[in-house]
Amino acid sequence: FCLECSGVHRSLGVHISFVRSLGMDKWSDEQMQYMRLGGNEKCKKFFEKHGIPRSMPIQERYHTEVAAAYKEKLKCLVQGKPYKEPTIG
């Protein structure tokens, strides 16, 4: 894994982003489901769809309404609940 990227994600705080090592950390079933249903590419596409450019610094990007909406969407997917995309902006 990339130490630079994991350090950046860890610096955001566990309430924003979580990083786990495949070899050193234990994963709960819920964490595994979050990774299966989420991940960087899906998050990037969601952000771009809602006008958040990749060039925006990660500290800003992850503290937007769009980031909160993605987090809620992913939570709904993991919990098997319906998700209604909010009007953002």
Side-chain angles (χ1 to χ4, degrees), residues 1-40:
F1 69 89
C2 173
L3 290 175
E4 184 178 336
C5 295
S6 66
V8 169
H9 278 273
R10 288 183 192 274
S11 75
L12 296 171
V14 295
H15 64 292
I16 300 293
S17 179
F18 73 91
V19 176
R20 298 284 184 273
S21 165
L22 291 174
M24 299 186 329
D25 292 320
K26 292 187 186 261
W27 290 68
S28 70
D29 290 340
E30 183 178 65
Q31 289 169 331
M32 290 293 291
Q33 193 68 345
Y34 270 96
M35 293 307 290
R36 282 188 196 105
L37 296 172
N40 285 336

Side-chain angles (χ1 to χ4, degrees), residues 14-72:
V14 295
H15 64 292
I16 300 293
S17 179
F18 73 91
V19 176
R20 298 284 184 273
S21 165
L22 291 174
M24 299 186 329
D25 292 320
K26 292 187 186 261
W27 290 68
S28 70
D29 290 340
E30 183 178 65
Q31 289 169 331
M32 290 293 291
Q33 193 68 345
Y34 270 96
M35 293 307 290
R36 282 188 196 105
L37 296 172
N40 285 336
E41 283 308 309
K42 290 177 184 174
C43 184
K44 288 175 188 177
K45 287 178 183 176
F46 188 88
F47 281 17
E48 286 177 356
K49 176 182 171 184
H50 294 286
I52 303 294
R54 288 187 186 198
S55 61
M56 180 184 283
I58 195 168
Q59 288 284 355
E60 289 179 42
R61 196 175 340 141
Y62 277 55
H63 288 89
T64 62
E65 288 180 309
V66 173
Y70 181 74
K71 188 174 180 180
E72 181 62 23

